[in-house]
Amino acid sequence: GLAARLQDTLTKIRGKGKVSEQDVKDMMREVRLALLEADVNFKVVKQFIASVKEKALGQEVMKSLTPGQQVIKVVNEELTALMGSEQSKIAVAPKAPTIVMMVGLQGAGKTTTTAKLANHLRKNHNRKPLLVACDIYRPAAIKQLETLGKQLDMPVFSLGDQVSPVEIAKQAVQKAKEEHHDYVILDTAGRLHIDETLMKELTDIKEMVKPDEILLVVDSMTGQDAVNVAESFNEQLDVTGAVLTKLDGDTRGGAAISIKAVTNTPIKFAGMGEKIDQLEPFHPERMASRILGMGDVLSLIEKAQTNVDEEKAKELEKKLRTMDFTFDDFLEQLEQVKSMGPLEDLLGMMPGMNKKGMKDLKVDEHQLVRVEAIVKSMTPLEKRDPAVINGSRRKRIAKGSGTTIQDVNRLLKQFEDMKKMMKQMTGMQAGKGKKRGKG
Ligand code: GDP
Ligand code: MG
């Protein structure tokens, strides 16, 4: 992540009492390069650097953090702010049904997201959506939505490919009213490039049914291009939110950072895979942490350890708990562990953590090398989604890392335990905290 790039610069300024202008400049050069490399729009980068510089300069250094970490903290906060600060909820119309229109280029993930959103609304908000097939051009587009509807056991409204999408949308809303659906999700057509015919059709649909929400579906793998697409759609349609798909891929987050900054449209959901339940509300602070890299959160904890300021520790704990934990994070943790001592001590100092529960997670120095080799033999997909690691993959990983299948099995088990524990902690927290707001 970005944090790794900052390490060198960090070491140089460690131990200083105040962040100097030159320190900030040095770090900002690294941040700038990393953001550009992540395919963030250059105007956005420029603005971002300016605001971080201003905030970081001359700040009193907090007791528990080194100046370098303080800069990272500001970078993290500003990155989060750039992506919208808070989790942004889907619209609810004062009078049902709420009409949601999905728009975006071909292949962005509109149809998939239509089904995922319907699933999310039913599962988490107890809603009864009607899916609507307004893409009549792409061969098999209607069929695709119908198949997804069947999979969800949810109705799909379609009038075939001989009726205009505007008429389909209109009749679908009528039908939703009659059958008491509280959400109507319109899956519209896309093109490979933005063109007038497409835009005209979309504005016609918009005029006809007056959607409460127009969600721009953007493929996060398209990076810089995503911004141009977002700008055009927004100009024509005044979109109300964005969905960033394919965040499970090897994207570095450039689109996420740029879209909100350029269109001032909040990212509401993130697509995390092809499966129907792989849609998540978008959390700007998680994305910022992902871009920065998790290693730093841990090093911040380590530094805070000498001077535990309860509030700071709580904040870090929250970050750790809400983080999506992958094998990449695991590996980064191990690397941190090597340089700073036992993991259980580190986690033990977090409020509410029970040291006894950490027993099974103990990693001894000799094992570390082996574990590292195993993780490094995994493909990106395997690191993110260990569930795919079947027998033949285990064999390949063992061979690639010079270990045995038993070693691989043990590590997978350990990782699962760790994840389970993190989930439990999150559960505990949710139980204590306030209830989820209605969507
Ligand atoms: P549309 O043309 O905008 O309707 O796009 P589709 O919904 O047909 O999706 C295009 C392709 O992207 C399909 O193969 C989907 O399975 C895939 N896809 C959509 N969302 C995601 C996602 O979040 N992650 C991954 N990995 N694939 C996705
Ligand atoms: Mg489609």
Side-chain angles (χ1 to χ4, degrees):
L2 179 49
R5 298 187 67 118
L6 299 175
Q7 281 311 320
D8 278 355
T9 337
L10 269 177
T11 351
K12 268 199 300 197
I13 59 178
R14 190 163 284 166
K16 285 194 187 173
K18 211 168 182 172
V19 185
S20 80
E21 189 152 359
Q22 191 56 47
D23 296 337
V24 174
K25 247 191 198 153
D26 289 348
M27 290 191 75
M28 284 308 107
R29 200 182 40 235
E30 293 298 311
V31 173
R32 199 177 138 264
L33 284 174
L35 291 177
L36 289 172
E37 226 168 66
D39 215 7
V40 178
N41 183 284
F42 78 94
K43 281 187 213 152
V44 177
V45 173
K46 210 170 149 193
Q47 267 171 27
F48 178 76
I49 297 292
S51 78
V52 171
K53 256 188 193 159
E54 193 187 312
K55 292 225 162 73
L57 256 179
Q59 259 192 359
E60 281 304 319
V61 174
M62 287 175 65
K63 270 184 263 156
S64 51
L65 300 176
T66 66
Q69 287 166 339
Q70 182 124 345
V71 175
I72 289 193
K73 184 172 155 284
V74 175
V75 170
N76 190 28
E77 284 165 6
E78 289 299 296
L79 263 185
T80 305
L82 200 58
M83 289 184 284
S85 292
E86 287 190 352
Q87 208 281 302
S88 183
K89 299 229 151 50
I90 190 157
V92 190
K95 192 164 169 283
T98 303
I99 301 169
V100 182
M101 182 174 169
M102 313 297 281
V103 302
L105 293 184
Q106 187 169 310
K110 293 179 296 300
T111 306
T112 314
T113 308
T114 299
K116 285 174 169 180
L117 182 61
N119 180 49
H120 167 85
L121 287 167
R122 179 175 63 187
K123 204 169 106 197
N124 300 321
H125 301 287
N126 218 358
R127 302 286 181 176
K128 197 183 149 203
L130 178 65
L131 312 184
V132 186
C134 287
D135 181 359
I136 59 168
Y137 309 107
R138 201 176 182 182
I142 300 174
K143 190 93 202 290
Q144 186 191 355
L145 191 64
E146 280 172 345
T147 306
L148 289 165
K150 223 170 254 156
Q151 207 179 316
L152 285 168
D153 195 18
M154 267 188 209
V156 172
F157 185 88
S158 160
L159 295 174
D161 58 8
Q162 298 301 311
V163 180
S164 82
V166 180
E167 183 63 25
I168 296 173
K170 183 181 147 200
Q171 291 195 29
V173 172
Q174 193 50 46
K175 168 120 170 162
K177 281 179 186 157
E178 285 161 19
E179 299 189 352
H180 306 290
H181 288 281
D182 43 19
Y183 270 85
V184 176
I185 311 178
L186 307 172
D187 177 30
T188 69
R191 300 276 194 281
L192 289 173
H193 299 283
I194 292 162
D195 67 46
E196 263 175 53
T197 327
L198 167 70
M199 282 304 175
K200 172 87 172 56
E201 178 176 307
L202 296 177
T203 47
D204 285 350
I205 296 177
K206 177 182 175 180
E207 218 133 275
M208 176 62 80
V209 300
K210 309 233 167 0
D212 304 282
E213 181 98 77
I214 301 182
L215 288 179
L216 175 65
V217 180
V218 183
D219 179 342
S220 61
M221 303 295 281
T222 55
Q224 186 85 234
D225 282 343
V227 178
N228 302 330
V229 170
E231 254 182 324
S232 314
F233 273 95
N234 196 36
E235 261 167 34
Q236 306 275 335
L237 290 163
D238 241 333
V239 302
T240 56
V243 178
L244 217 50
T245 62
K246 310 182 195 180
L247 269 178
D248 50 311
D250 279 330
T251 166
R252 306 192 54 192
I257 295 175
S258 313
I259 281 180
K260 170 70 172 59
V262 171
T263 63
N264 200 25
T265 301
I267 300 168
K268 299 199 171 183
F269 293 95
M272 303 300 295
E274 297 192 49
K275 294 201 199 93
I276 243 164
D277 58 353
Q278 289 175 316
L279 182 77
E280 295 174 4
F282 181 81
H283 293 276
E285 82 279 3
R286 282 190 210 173
M287 194 67 207
S289 300
R290 171 172 167 174
I291 292 164
L292 270 168
M294 180 168 178
D296 283 296
V297 177
L298 286 166
S299 73
L300 280 171
I301 294 176
E302 187 222 13
K303 290 301 155 195
Q305 189 169 17
T306 43
N307 199 343
V308 186
D309 151 355
E310 177 121 343
E311 213 173 308
K312 179 100 266 147
K314 271 204 182 119
E315 192 186 311
L316 293 166
E317 174 207 3
K318 195 173 136 212
K319 270 192 194 158
L320 196 62
R321 284 181 178 181
T322 49
M323 196 95 54
D324 298 315
F325 200 67
T326 69
F327 258 114
D328 278 318
D329 303 322
F330 189 68
L331 195 61
E332 269 195 60
Q333 275 210 358
L334 288 181
E335 262 145 28
Q336 293 284 335
V337 168
K338 271 199 291 192
S339 64
M340 74 172 141
L343 181 64
E344 64 263 39
D345 283 355
L346 194 63
L347 291 173
M349 98 194 194
M350 299 192 324
M353 275 298 302
N354 182 350
K355 269 201 182 188
K356 266 187 270 164
M358 309 294 306
K359 254 198 328 241
D360 296 330
L361 302 170
K362 225 179 230 173
V363 195
D364 78 50
E365 279 291 317
H366 301 293
Q367 263 188 330
L368 276 182
V369 186
R370 213 178 317 153
V371 165
E372 226 169 3
I374 293 173
V375 175
K376 282 183 173 154
S377 295
M378 294 178 183
T379 65
L381 173 73
E382 289 164 346
K383 282 190 226 170
R384 270 189 320 269
D385 187 8
V388 304
I389 307 181
N390 56 15
S392 67
R393 284 177 187 259
R394 283 171 202 227
K395 215 159 152 188
R396 195 208 72 236
I397 293 168
K399 208 166 162 213
S401 57
T403 61
T404 65
I405 293 187
Q406 285 76 21
D407 289 328
V408 176
N409 287 342
R410 198 175 311 124
L411 177 63
L412 289 172
K413 168 105 182 23
Q414 261 184 346
F415 181 74
E416 267 322 298
D417 288 346
M418 188 157 199
K419 260 180 107 161
K420 232 183 268 162
M421 193 190 67
M422 289 196 152
K423 232 184 219 146
Q424 268 171 13
M425 299 195 311
T426 316
M428 269 159 43
Q429 178 137 307
K432 268 190 288 178
K434 45 187 161 126
K435 279 209 294 200
R436 231 210 221 108
K438 279 222 231 159

